[in-house]
Amino acid sequence: MCMISPAARVTRAPLSLLGRALAALRGRPAVRVSGTSIYVRAEGSRQLVVYAMSLASRSDAAMILPLPVRPGTPEDEAHRFVALDGCPDLFDQLELLFAPPMQTLSKGHGLLRAQSARPRIAVTSVGSFEASYVPSVSDFDRLDPRFRLPPDVWSQLPRYQDYGFAVFKLKAGDAKVHPMALWFETRDDQRLFFPTVHVHDGRVHAQADFDHKLYWETATPTADTSTEGAAWFEDPETEALRVPDAIKARAPSVFGDGLVRRRVMRGPFPNEDQWADATSPAPA
């Protein structure tokens, strides 16, 4: 799931008539997200999520990624952020791996509650971001108040009541965001989780426009991929590929020794997270 929460603005003096007219003419959304890429893999009891996108926002914002963390995992053991500012083109490199050979040759290619005395959520510097881990929905009152989601959003997403959350604070502007990454202790070691539900305007819609490339790594090629409702489209003639050592060296701890597959989702789909099979059938 990709939840974008624009920072709340401070209320100042009322706008003049001209000011109100100009504000009404702006008409563009506060947040626009495109070109999302997600890479996932599992290692023992942990899963890695790497997330990148292009973001246009009129104010500072927070991206909130829910995580199916194993219930009962202590907060300081549930996650580990990974800094990838040294490899901002990670997904560009992955995309080149999947380019058809002939094409490459021819083209050169919180629940919001009143303030409490509970300690604030810790903020960690991760590459170019400030990031925080929120253990549960009920802990969002410990997060910076500017980046909390309205209570009615959580009421529409009951499945996340016992999830953990990674929160990345993003600067205002129009930019391609370098990959954000973290490991988390997963509750489901048979499946890989892709956070793809969209909440970009403070509301949960039944359908959303997807512009996603999803990558996942397994020890051997998988025979099937399961989802929670959205159809999957596999690129024609795409094979399971190994990531070259040169790319691995630029993104330490991200890639394993397995095979990477890719699926593309573009257009309107049910607004749901995706899951892929983390295991592979025994060779025939």
Side-chain angles (χ1 to χ4, degrees):
M1 176 172 67
C2 170
M3 296 171 143
I4 302 293
S5 178
R9 295 182 178 181
V10 177
T11 302
R12 294 183 174 88
L15 291 174
S16 66
L17 179 60
L18 176 59
R20 290 197 298 272
L22 291 174
L25 287 173
R26 289 192 185 103
R28 64 184 180 92
V31 174
R32 288 182 288 114
V33 179
S34 62
T36 298
S37 294
I38 306 173
Y39 167 86
V40 301
R41 76 176 177 97
E43 187 176 283
S45 63
R46 305 181 304 161
Q47 183 191 313
L48 174 71
V49 174
V50 183
Y51 197 107
M53 63 187 176
S54 293
L55 174 71
S57 177
R58 284 184 278 171
S59 63
D60 290 354
M63 188 179 74
I64 303 170
L65 298 181
L67 307 169
V69 174
R70 187 175 64 249
T73 305
E75 181 176 338
D76 58 350
E77 299 175 12
H79 73 289
R80 180 172 65 85
F81 289 110
V82 178
L84 289 179
D85 52 317
C87 192
D89 59 347
L90 183 149
F91 285 106
D92 294 331
Q93 296 299 313
L94 277 182
E95 184 65 15
L96 287 176
L97 294 180
F98 286 91
M102 291 305 294
Q103 179 182 2
T104 302
L105 291 174
S106 64
K107 296 186 179 181
H109 283 28
L111 291 178
L112 190 58
R113 301 199 301 254
Q115 287 291 104
S116 68
R118 297 203 297 162
R120 282 288 180 89
I121 294 288
V123 176
T124 305
S125 293
V126 185
S128 300
F129 306 111
E130 289 185 343
S132 300
Y133 175 74
V134 181
S136 69
V137 170
S138 63
D139 287 295
F140 268 91
D141 68 321
R142 297 166 55 201
L143 189 67
D144 185 330
R146 297 178 302 155
F147 299 110
R148 300 175 190 168
L149 288 171
D152 61 325
V153 170
W154 295 118
S155 67
Q156 297 174 67
L157 297 168
R159 78 189 74 174
Y160 300 120
Q161 291 302 311
D162 63 347
Y163 274 40
F165 301 86
V167 180
F168 295 89
K169 297 179 181 179
L170 310 174
K171 294 295 185 181
D174 191 340
K176 183 176 181 179
V177 178
H178 84 61
M180 297 160 275
L182 81 160
W183 288 94
F184 68 92
E185 290 291 327
T186 181
R187 68 182 61 183
D188 190 341
D189 59 7
Q190 300 300 306
R191 298 190 299 167
L192 295 166
F193 173 73
F194 294 90
T196 54
V197 162
H198 297 43
V199 182
H200 296 168
D201 58 0
R203 293 179 294 172
V204 182
H205 302 277
Q207 279 205 326
D209 287 326
F210 279 68
D211 181 16
H212 286 55
K213 293 177 182 176
L214 307 181
Y215 301 84
W216 75 105
E217 180 179 330
T218 57
T220 57
T222 55
D224 190 21
T225 302
S226 60
T227 73
E228 291 192 345
W232 285 73
F233 295 101
E234 184 172 356
D235 289 346
E237 301 178 2
T238 292
E239 297 181 357
L241 302 175
R242 294 193 185 278
V243 176
D245 290 341
I247 297 179
K248 290 182 180 180
R250 296 184 60 213
S253 83
V254 169
F255 300 104
D257 296 322
L259 298 168
V260 178
R261 300 293 295 267
R262 178 184 67 173
R263 304 263 184 181
V264 176
M265 296 178 68
R266 286 200 178 98
F269 290 92
N271 193 12
E272 299 176 346
D273 292 322
Q274 307 298 306
W275 295 81
D277 188 355
T279 61
S280 301

